[in-house]
């Protein structure tokens, strides 16, 4: 559970950092080399890891203090918070309160930052006079937007509902989106628009055809 929360929370922070990168590249292109220099990029990564580990530590400690009696088989693919809380015979109200108060800081905070960044990005792109330039600007953001929609949409659906009213069977299906589908699609989503990647694929295809 600790590992799951750590890597999942890191994804939230990194998606926000990538949104900031796109904002600087499109809205302030002349300052990109200064605003996204190596030191700042390292700080963004460090903040992402520290924030994710603190979030994971909080829930791991709280879960370790809960009692589990009777059935100890998790009705899920992995040790996630909702199915573990369902198995607990302790009072879950305090943990649910933490999820609904601390959770928004980790999930909704980066999400709102990403949303605001894209509002600024879209407003800037719409002011570009050339239709071709607008298309190229939108294409640089499309991959990131697809991942944001898949990852945030499924996570918010699962975690921001009371445990008592959620269906574990339905959650299992939805959780496949952010644990399996999104990670599998990431390499394709992020590289299909990369000119170097497409050039390498084209060369490899031509080489195999000639051979």
């Amino acid at each position: 559970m600790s590992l799951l929360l750590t890597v999942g929370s890191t994804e939230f922070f990194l998606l926000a950092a990538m949104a900031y990168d796109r904002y600087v590249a499109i809205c302030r292109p002349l300052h990109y080399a200064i605003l996204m220099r190596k030191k700042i990029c390292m700080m963004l990564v460090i903040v992402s890891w520290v924030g994710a580990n603190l979030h994971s530590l909080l829930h791991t400690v709280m879960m370790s203090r809960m009692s589990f009696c009777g059935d100890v088989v998790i009705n899920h693919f992995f040790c996630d918070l909702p199915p573990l809380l369902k198995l607990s015979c302790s009072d879950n109200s305090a943990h649910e309160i933490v999820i609904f108060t601390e959770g928004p800081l980790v999930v909704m905070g980066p999400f709102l930052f990403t949303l605001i960044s894209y509002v600024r990005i879209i407003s800037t792109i719409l002011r570009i006079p050339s239709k071709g330039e607008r298309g190229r600007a939108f294409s640089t953001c499309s991959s990131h937007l697809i991942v944001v929609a898949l990852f945030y949409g499924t996570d918010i659906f699962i975690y921001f509902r009371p445990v008592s009213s959620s269906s574990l069977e339905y959650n299992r299906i939805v959780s496949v989106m952010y644990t399996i589908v999104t990670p599998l699609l990431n390499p394709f989503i992020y590289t299909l628009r990369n000119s170097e990647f497409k050039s390498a694929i084209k060369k490899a295809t031509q080489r195999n055809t000639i051979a």
Side-chain angles (χ1 to χ4, degrees):
M1 188 192 76
S2 176
L3 178 63
L4 172 75
L5 291 176
T6 299
V7 296
S9 303
T10 302
E11 180 81 0
F12 289 123
F13 290 113
L14 290 179
L15 286 174
M18 292 173 69
Y20 174 71
D21 173 77
R22 294 297 84 203
Y23 163 77
V24 175
I26 293 175
C27 300
R28 306 185 66 182
L30 299 179
H31 298 89
Y32 185 86
I34 299 174
L35 296 177
M36 292 303 295
R37 59 187 183 273
K38 185 176 180 179
K39 183 178 179 180
I40 293 180
C41 292
M42 290 295 295
M43 288 178 60
L44 290 173
V45 173
I46 291 172
V47 168
S48 299
W49 276 105
V50 170
N53 278 279
L54 290 176
H55 170 71
S56 174
L57 180 63
L58 172 64
H59 288 283
T60 303
V61 170
M62 291 191 68
M63 190 65 71
S64 67
R65 295 176 177 271
M66 303 183 74
S67 300
F68 295 87
C69 48
D71 190 8
V72 291
V73 178
I74 300 174
N75 185 21
H76 214 340
F77 300 117
F78 48 86
C79 293
D80 205 2
L81 288 175
L84 285 172
L85 290 175
K86 285 276 190 180
L87 290 179
S88 174
C89 52
S90 303
D91 183 12
N92 298 333
S93 56
H95 206 151
E96 287 198 35
I97 292 174
V98 172
I99 292 175
F100 279 91
T101 53
E102 183 267 347
L105 297 177
V106 177
V107 180
M108 298 306 296
F111 176 71
L112 290 176
F113 180 86
T114 302
L115 187 63
I116 293 171
S117 297
Y118 270 102
V119 169
R120 298 289 300 274
I121 289 170
I122 292 172
S123 64
T124 300
I125 292 176
L126 292 177
R127 290 198 297 268
I128 298 176
S130 171
K131 184 177 180 180
E133 291 180 3
R134 286 200 303 268
R136 285 192 293 272
F138 273 120
S139 69
T140 62
C141 304
S142 59
S143 301
H144 184 245
L145 276 173
I146 293 171
V147 176
V148 167
L150 288 173
F151 195 76
Y152 277 105
T154 52
D155 271 85
I156 291 173
F157 174 82
I158 288 179
Y159 289 105
F160 290 90
R161 292 183 300 157
V163 175
S164 57
S165 65
S166 61
S167 169
L168 290 182
E169 293 296 332
Y170 197 60
N171 286 355
R172 286 175 59 185
I173 299 173
V174 177
S175 66
V176 173
M177 288 297 298
Y178 68 88
T179 57
I180 299 176
V181 176
T182 303
L184 285 175
L185 290 178
N186 274 349
F188 300 99
I189 293 173
Y190 285 127
T191 57
L192 283 178
R193 291 187 177 275
N194 187 298
S195 58
E196 294 179 1
F197 174 80
K198 289 189 289 187
S199 177
I201 292 295
K202 185 177 180 179
K203 289 179 180 179
T205 304
Q206 291 175 345
R207 190 181 303 116
N208 291 335
T209 303
I210 295 173

